[in-house]
């Protein structure tokens, strides 16, 4: 596996488990920002790579899967948190069939610095062996 394989596996898992009635963008997709419409943005940050052994060319990639849910300002955050919980359930302790990519429980934060949005974020640490 390499970083692209990791990203493709993560994106596939997201698409399989996401409520398709909720708009979302992946990494560098064009923005959806429609006034008053809740949406999500999934990003994969491959992070740091550490060598696992001296003799072999094997590495441990330590990255993050980040989901930002944009709730329109003034709307209830209930639906946004429900989506974050759905995402968290899909990725907590998830792994690929070969166990080369493994996820840990997420961290959460909220942010209301955007004028028109309240943002709820889940950040899932993952480890991949390459």
């Amino acid at each position: 596996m390499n970083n692209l394989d990791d990203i493709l596996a993560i994106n596939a898992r997201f698409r399989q488990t996401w409520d398709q009635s909720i708009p979302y963008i992946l990494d560098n997709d064009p923005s959806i920002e429609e006034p008053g419409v809740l949406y999500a943005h999934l990003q994969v940050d491959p992070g740091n790579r550490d060598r696992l052994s001296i003799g072999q060319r094997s590495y441990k990639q330590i990255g993050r899967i980040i989901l930002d849910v944009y709730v329109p300002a003034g709307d209830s955050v209930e639906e946004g948190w429900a989506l974050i919980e759905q995402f968290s359930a899909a990725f907590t302790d998830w792994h690929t069939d070969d166990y080369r990519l493994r996820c840990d429980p997420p961290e959460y934060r909220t942010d209301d610095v955007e004028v028109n949005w309240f943002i709820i974020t889940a950040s899932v640490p993952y480890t991949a062996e390459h």
Side-chain angles (χ1 to χ4, degrees), residues 43 51 60 110:
Q43 303 165 70
R51 185 179 299 277
K60 177 171 69 171
T110 60

Side-chain angles (χ1 to χ4, degrees), residues 26 52 64 77 79 91 93 106:
L26 302 175
L52 285 175
R64 290 198 170 268
V77 297
E79 184 178 12
F91 281 96
D93 297 326

Side-chain angles (χ1 to χ4, degrees), residues 32-91:
I32 296 179
E33 292 188 29
E34 293 180 34
V37 177
L38 178 142
Y39 75 98
H41 181 192
L42 181 76
Q43 303 165 70
V44 180
D45 178 4
N48 297 323
R49 180 178 284 196
D50 296 323
R51 185 179 299 277
L52 285 175
S53 66
I54 294 173
Q56 290 183 316
R57 295 184 70 187
S58 57
Y59 302 91
K60 177 171 69 171
Q61 193 77 37
I62 302 169
R64 290 198 170 268
I65 308 163
I66 303 161
L67 182 73
D68 294 316
V69 174
Y70 290 78
V71 180
D75 285 4
S76 169
V77 297
E78 188 174 312
E79 184 178 12
W81 275 110
L83 291 168
I84 288 290
E85 291 298 332
Q86 172 191 332
F87 168 80
S88 298
F91 281 96

Side-chain angles (χ1 to χ4, degrees), residues 6 10 13-14 17-18 41-47 61-68 83-95 101-109 120-128:
D6 297 345
I10 290 164
R13 174 70 173 172
F14 178 77
T17 59
W18 186 250
H41 181 192
L42 181 76
Q43 303 165 70
V44 180
D45 178 4
Q61 193 77 37
I62 302 169
R64 290 198 170 268
I65 308 163
I66 303 161
L67 182 73
D68 294 316
L83 291 168
I84 288 290
E85 291 298 332
Q86 172 191 332
F87 168 80
S88 298
F91 281 96
T92 298
D93 297 326
W94 174 74
H95 55 81
L101 190 151
R102 299 171 306 282
C103 295
D104 292 321
E107 300 167 2
Y108 304 101
R109 73 174 189 270
I120 307 169
T121 301
S123 178
V124 176
Y126 75 88
T127 303

